[in-house]
Structure formats: C-alpha cells, structure tokens
C-alpha cells in the first residue's frame, strides 16, 4: 500500500509541467471545440493482393457535444484553463 502511495505522489509531481505556449494551447483547444460541434469519424475502404477488400471505420462523440456545450465557449475555457490567459485568436471551426 505504501508503494502505491509513493507511486501516486510521483505521478502527481510529474504533472507539474509548465503551461503550453498560447499557440499550442489554441491548437489543442481548437481540436476540442471542433469535437464539440458533432460526431467525428473516418472510413477507410481498400483492397490489397493478400486479403482482398477491407473496410474500417470509427466514430467518436465528445462529452462536450453530448452536453450540448457551445464550441466557442469550450475553446475559450480550455485556453484559459491551460494558459491562464484568454485565447490569442478565435478558433477555426469547420
């Protein structure tokens, strides 16, 4: 049990990282705001000489989308949380 407590304390200490640059925070939070707009996903269809045809797909839904959060508000609060400052630019949403 003591080893688990030491491991947890070490993990928490490692989280004390400097905040990201405003540009990096804007990029990270822009992705989160885009995910708040609606489901995301991709589809891959192809063929190869060994196995023939194939189909892959994935769908993602963010918790912000499920809560009905405003993507702009998601972006602004994310940047503020990461940097302690308001965003340096508006998000580029699709």
């Amino acid at each position: 049990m003591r080893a688990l407590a030491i491991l947890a304390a070490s993990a928490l200490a490692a989280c004390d990282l400097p905040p990201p640059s405003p540009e990096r925070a804007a990029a990270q939070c822009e992705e989160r705001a885009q995910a708040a707009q609606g489901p995301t996903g991709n589809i891959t269809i192809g063929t190869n000489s060994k196995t023939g045809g194939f189909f892959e797909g994935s769908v993602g839904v963010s918790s912000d989308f499920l809560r009905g959060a405003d993507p702009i508000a998601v972006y602004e609060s994310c940047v503020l949380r990461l940097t302690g400052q308001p965003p340096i630019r508006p998000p580029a949403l699709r």
Side-chain angles (χ1 to χ4, degrees):
M1 189 68 166
R2 181 174 164 87
L4 183 58
I6 292 171
L7 180 61
S10 298
L12 289 175
C15 292
D16 191 20
L17 301 173
S21 70
E23 294 82 12
R24 181 67 186 135
Q28 286 177 335
C29 295
E30 192 171 73
E31 289 176 15
R32 184 170 175 185
Q34 288 173 350
Q37 289 183 298
T40 59
N42 65 48
I43 295 175
T44 304
I45 300 173
T47 186
N48 64 45
S49 61
K50 291 187 179 186
T51 61
F54 63 89
F55 172 85
E56 297 175 353
S58 67
V59 176
V61 180
S62 75
S63 60
D64 293 321
F65 172 71
L66 292 175
R67 288 187 299 113
D70 175 31
I72 301 294
V74 168
Y75 173 76
E76 291 173 351
S77 66
C78 177
V79 171
L80 188 61
R81 181 177 41 79
L82 291 177
T83 66
Q85 301 173 3
I88 58 171
R89 62 174 174 81
L93 302 177
R94 13 180 184 107

